[in-house]
Amino acid sequence: MPDLSSPLVLIVPTGTQIVTRIACRALNSRHDYPPGAVGVIVGAPTDHTHSYRVRFPDGQEGTLLRHQFSLRKQFQNQGLASTETSLGEVDWSEYVIFRCIVGSRAYGLDHADSDTDRRGIYVPPADAQWSLFGVPEQLENKDTEECYWEIKKFLILALKANPNVLECLYSPLIETATPLAEELLAMRSIFLSRLVYQTYNGYVMSQFKKLEQDLRSRGSIKWKHAMHLIRLLLSGITILREGFVPVQVAEFRDQLLAIRNGELDWAEINAWRLTLHQEFDRAFETSVLPERPEYDRANAFLIFVRRSQVV
């Protein structure tokens, strides 16, 4: 029996539907409700040692201690939860089709102690994809700084001009690329559109606002974060003007490192940001990129990948 006096056992609120784990006798009759009966809590105790009052569908009521019933939602999900646990034991890494290095090492902004950040794509087998339980949208290992998106998730993020995903497609440091991944890389330009302007601009503006709040409240900011926001603006401008994602930042390396090292004051950084926003506006007005990415081609590729997994 669980320790019902434990403060970690939360009181279940009235109105919650439950399923009985034991037979429960109605308060005003000899009628017994079998294990598995459905009821709703109409009276909750003030502590964990007393009973809940439960009303059954026929209007009669009984009492149950917390360990004598399950929440209906949890009861329904029990079979699914056990299968999710077994899916968690699958070695999904064997289905990785693309692996690259991103972050400071790809940008050319690394130092001796820099982490090696790996990102990529995995394609699960058809049986797992089609099952009731699905597959993880992403595989993440924080200890090794790795993250792999399921192919559909990756494509959707790329179509939304997610900077992290677009940089994967243009990273100069590729470690693994199967034939499927090579096909995707060959068509990577379909993800570039004028949506970059809204996505990059919006993120930078919101994050600079947070940095300004940190500066006012704490008197300091994360200089590395400020550096990457400037880098993102520089990248967005190039995408709109030249139609590719510039991962390496050789031209601006010294200025960006000066920000990371705290060698530029906030006024200089903010002034550069505002200038870059103006350049971004001009690049947007003159860009030859389409208004939207090529959704149909991305969808056709996804279907092709799905079919390739049928054996």
Side-chain angles (χ1 to χ4, degrees):
M1 180 183 295
D3 178 7
L4 298 179
S5 64
S6 170
L8 297 177
V9 180
L10 300 177
I11 298 295
V12 180
T14 58
T16 302
Q17 291 189 3
I18 60 93
V19 176
T20 61
R21 294 181 181 174
I22 63 167
C24 177
R25 173 156 292 189
L27 291 174
N28 300 317
S29 74
R30 293 185 177 181
H31 179 67
D32 287 332
Y33 297 94
V38 176
V40 61
I41 293 175
V42 294
T46 56
D47 58 49
H48 308 291
T49 62
H50 291 81
S51 298
Y52 289 81
R53 194 176 183 97
V54 177
R55 181 174 297 147
F56 294 96
D58 62 3
Q60 296 195 69
E61 296 180 2
T63 59
L64 292 165
L65 293 170
R66 178 61 187 87
H67 69 282
Q68 295 174 330
F69 65 84
S70 299
L71 304 186
R72 186 176 65 82
K73 287 184 178 180
Q74 293 178 356
F75 183 83
Q76 290 176 314
N77 288 330
Q78 282 176 5
L80 297 176
S82 62
T83 306
E84 287 170 357
T85 299
S86 64
L87 286 175
E89 297 170 356
V90 175
D91 182 10
W92 296 108
S93 63
E94 66 178 283
Y95 302 108
V96 170
I97 66 165
F98 178 68
R99 179 184 290 106
C100 67
I101 294 175
V102 295
S104 59
R105 295 196 183 279
Y107 305 143
L109 297 171
D110 55 302
H111 51 77
D113 297 324
S114 293
D115 294 326
T116 300
D117 302 316
R118 290 181 171 86
R119 300 291 182 268
I121 306 168
Y122 89 101
V123 177
D127 284 354
Q129 182 69 43
W130 293 338
S131 73
L132 284 174
F133 318 105
V135 296
E137 283 196 333
Q138 66 185 53
L139 314 174
E140 192 167 6
N141 188 328
K142 294 182 179 179
D143 292 334
T144 58
E145 300 293 339
E146 293 181 84
C147 180
Y148 303 97
W149 291 279
E150 196 276 324
I151 181 66
K152 179 181 177 182
K153 179 70 171 180
F154 184 92
L155 295 176
I156 289 174
L157 290 174
L159 291 167
K160 291 181 178 180
N162 179 284
N164 295 324
V165 168
L166 292 183
E167 286 173 3
C168 285
L169 291 171
Y170 285 82
S171 172
L173 305 178
I174 296 174
E175 294 184 332
T176 301
T178 69
L180 281 177
E182 289 175 352
E183 289 193 42
L184 179 61
L185 292 175
M187 56 186 282
R188 63 189 180 181
S189 62
I190 72 168
F191 300 103
L192 301 185
S193 73
R194 289 156 68 91
L195 279 180
V196 165
Y197 177 78
Q198 289 85 9
T199 302
Y200 283 44
N201 242 339
Y203 180 73
V204 171
M205 287 191 295
S206 66
Q207 292 302 305
F208 254 87
K209 183 177 180 180
K210 291 180 180 179
L211 289 179
E212 289 172 337
Q213 292 172 343
D214 289 343
L215 195 61
R216 287 194 298 268
S217 61
R218 297 203 297 259
S220 63
I221 63 168
K222 294 180 179 179
W223 297 107
K224 182 179 179 180
H225 190 41
M227 175 192 72
H228 282 303
L229 293 175
I230 294 294
R231 181 193 59 77
L232 203 60
L233 284 176
L234 292 167
S235 176
I237 292 168
T238 300
I239 294 170
L240 291 182
R241 285 178 175 167
E242 302 181 32
F244 77 95
V245 180
V247 178
Q248 293 183 320
V249 294
E251 182 181 353
F252 300 98
R253 184 176 186 275
D254 291 342
Q255 292 164 277
L256 291 170
L257 289 178
I259 296 176
R260 187 181 71 186
N261 297 334
E263 296 169 0
L264 295 182
D265 61 34
W266 176 254
E268 291 178 278
I269 298 171
N270 200 39
W272 190 12
R273 173 184 72 91
L274 295 174
T275 298
L276 290 176
H277 276 304
Q278 292 174 351
E279 286 189 45
F280 212 174
D281 291 345
R282 290 192 291 270
F284 178 67
E285 292 170 0
T286 59
S287 179
V288 296
L289 288 180
E291 290 293 329
R292 296 279 177 170
E294 297 185 45
Y295 299 108
D296 289 345
R297 288 187 64 188
N299 185 58
F301 178 75
L302 176 61
I303 293 172
F304 171 76
V305 171
R306 291 279 191 252
R307 286 175 174 162
S308 73
Q309 302 309 297
V310 179
V311 293

